[in-house]
Amino acid sequence: MDFSFTEEQELFRKSVREFCKKKLAPRANEIDEKGEIPHEVLEDMAAFGLLGITISEEYGGSGADFITAAIAAEEIARADISMATAVYYLVGAGWGFLMDRYASKAAKEEILPDVIKGKTFLGIASTEAAGGSDIVSTSTTMEKRDGKLILNGAKTFISGVREAARYGGGYVTIVKTSPELKHKGLSLCYLPVKDVQGITTSIFKQMGREGISTGTININSVEIPEHYLIGEWNRGFYYAMEGFNCARTLVAAACIGAAQKALESGIEYIKERHIFGAPLAKFEGIQFQLAEDYTKLEAAKLLVHKAAWMLDRMYTENRFSNNEINKAVASAKLVAPTAAFDIIKDVLTWYGAYGYTREAGLERGFRGVYSYIIGAEGAQNIMKIIIGREILGKEFTT
Ligand SMILES: Cc1cc2nc3c(=O)[nH]c(=O)nc-3n(C[C@H](O)[C@H](O)[C@H](O)COP(=O)(O)OP(=O)(O)OC[C@H]3O[C@@H](n4cnc5c(N)ncnc54)[C@H](O)[C@@H]3O)c2cc1C
């Protein structure tokens, strides 16, 4: 076993950290306050090669593996702990990778290069109002008619709706194609949203991640070309599960990046802040929290890096079963957001009243990371259900 990153990976981390320190971190407050990621930040990220990083070189990407993509997610979240920029990055990297694997060549040539150049947004549209966790109950339909695909329904709580409507781009979208077949009756397609007849959107006011929108896409007799079908008809459930494994690994990576940054700031602070005649760091009540937080973060990192490493081995060496990958990814996604939330909360508390100010910047992380506990890319209880199912077998699922 070898728990270290390669020299190349360390150099990559260093260069992304420097890039983010220069181009992203100084804008983090503005991103949250103004409620958008400035387009020049996205252009800079694209020029650096961060957007759609996992997409193959054929379409302009770097063809990066998931360890590399996870390192980038950590560094982006470290610079903008609100998660807004990390979300923009990771949905493109996770679901862009899935499109690269399964979408038609025509769709890939049309869609992926602009995602990589930062011109358009790519996200995932799975959740519906009737219950996001239950993908099998998807009621948005897609049917073939006169050489076109016709969609009807609605997707809600979808990241990046305003961005996709403004800049262009769209979503890897889960639709029902054979209702009687339950999970075997789902398909995936690419759904553009900008200036598309039959699409209307609305945006939620939310508690965090202000720099990226979350909204609803109403889909009323929307026509898309047949080559926007992703993979085979009625195989969408399996592709979606694969895409979730990719995106969840990057979500978990982003969480540890934000937590790492918060903890480092906290360590500096408790060494400097004197109270009752001593630095805060000297008090056992604080040190014990620090020890627990450090350990939680190390545990989360091990799970996240292992999940990314396993994904890479699966794709390049055909190692690991779905069962092993599902358990590894769900464990990382279960542990990392909660660890990050606990760590940010502790550091915010060490800061005292200053922690409660926007100026301190920690509350951005507190609000952002919580989106991953609630459910973005899958709720925590769903991660437990996956782990339980993979340990016990499908006969023990409800
Ligand atoms: C900020 C944000 C951004 C998002 N972005 C996207 C996006 O880009 N694309 C997208 O498709 N979706 C997105 N989502 C939606 C997300 O995927 C859903 O929130 C998630 O799947 C949960 O669905 P739900 O919110 O409908 O909650 P429900 O499915 O109604 O679940 C509610 C609660 O019940 C729990 N629960 C559900 N089933 C069970 C069970 N069987 N046993 C025990 N507990 C259970 C869940 O853990 C959760 O806490 C986003 C969500 C948020 C908060």
Side-chain angles (χ1 to χ4, degrees), residues 197-214:
Q197 194 171 358
I199 294 259
T200 53
T201 58
S202 58
I203 305 298
F204 293 104
K205 283 193 174 175
Q206 44 186 353
M207 70 176 255
R209 294 175 23 167
E210 299 291 349
I212 188 161
S213 63
T214 307

Side-chain angles (χ1 to χ4, degrees), residues 97-111:
F97 178 80
L98 193 89
M99 272 199 76
D100 197 352
R101 270 176 77 71
Y102 297 109
S104 68
K105 193 162 173 33
K108 289 194 279 191
E109 282 173 351
E110 197 183 314
I111 296 153

Side-chain angles (χ1 to χ4, degrees), residues 105-366:
K105 193 162 173 33
K108 289 194 279 191
E109 282 173 351
E110 197 183 314
I111 296 153
L112 297 181
D114 281 347
V115 172
I116 291 159
K117 285 181 200 141
K119 289 187 176 168
T120 56
F121 174 81
L122 179 67
I124 166 72
S126 156
T127 305
E128 299 188 354
S133 301
D134 183 8
I135 290 173
V136 180
S137 74
T138 293
S139 62
T140 298
T141 56
M142 181 166 79
E143 54 185 313
K144 290 181 187 165
R145 204 187 299 153
D146 303 330
K148 300 265 184 204
L149 301 172
I150 315 294
L151 281 82
N152 277 290
K155 296 286 176 181
T156 194
F157 305 117
I158 305 302
S159 300
V161 169
R162 189 189 51 227
E163 289 73 6
R166 184 183 293 168
Y167 304 134
Y171 289 88
V172 172
T173 304
I174 302 180
V175 288
K176 193 61 120 333
T177 35
S178 298
E180 69 288 359
L181 295 180
K182 299 196 174 158
H183 74 285
K184 291 186 176 165
L186 295 172
S187 298
L188 278 195
C189 69
Y190 172 76
L191 179 68
V193 296
K194 186 175 181 219
D195 303 330
V196 174
Q197 194 171 358
I199 294 259
T200 53
T201 58
S202 58
I203 305 298
F204 293 104
K205 283 193 174 175
Q206 44 186 353
M207 70 176 255
R209 294 175 23 167
E210 299 291 349
I212 188 161
S213 63
T214 307
T216 296
I217 309 169
N218 296 303
I219 307 160
N220 188 5
S221 296
V222 171
E223 274 186 22
I224 56 169
E226 266 189 322
H227 70 269
Y228 281 4
L229 173 70
I230 298 175
E232 288 173 38
W233 194 259
N234 281 352
R235 296 276 307 159
F237 179 81
Y238 302 100
Y239 306 134
M241 293 304 115
E242 189 178 334
F244 278 122
N245 277 341
C246 298
R248 283 171 185 159
T249 302
L250 300 181
V251 161
C255 289
I256 61 176
Q260 180 74 41
K261 175 67 184 157
L263 195 59
E264 285 171 21
S265 316
I267 292 167
E268 285 306 305
Y269 186 83
I270 58 176
K271 287 200 281 191
E272 295 298 323
R273 172 72 170 169
H274 280 65
I275 194 91
F276 295 106
L280 264 181
K282 274 208 164 190
F283 297 104
E284 191 179 270
I286 301 289
Q287 255 187 43
F288 277 17
Q289 276 187 322
L290 170 64
E292 282 173 22
D293 288 338
Y294 168 82
T295 310
K296 273 185 206 169
L297 184 54
E298 287 304 298
K301 278 186 201 170
L302 287 172
L303 285 171
V304 173
H305 296 152
K306 183 181 167 197
W309 177 86
M310 285 174 72
L311 277 177
D312 289 337
R313 303 281 90 65
M314 180 182 80
Y315 286 119
T316 57
E317 298 166 20
N318 211 10
R319 280 172 68 187
F320 301 116
S321 62
N322 282 341
N323 170 282
E324 290 167 301
I325 296 282
N326 292 344
K327 269 188 297 194
V329 172
S331 303
K333 169 70 168 65
L334 177 64
V335 167
T338 313
F341 185 78
D342 290 350
I343 291 164
I344 294 169
K345 175 175 67 62
D346 283 350
V347 175
L348 195 150
T349 311
W350 297 344
Y351 273 41
Y354 180 55
Y356 203 65
T357 65
R358 295 239 163 162
E359 195 187 317
L362 283 163
E363 50 78 44
R364 289 202 292 272
F366 189 76

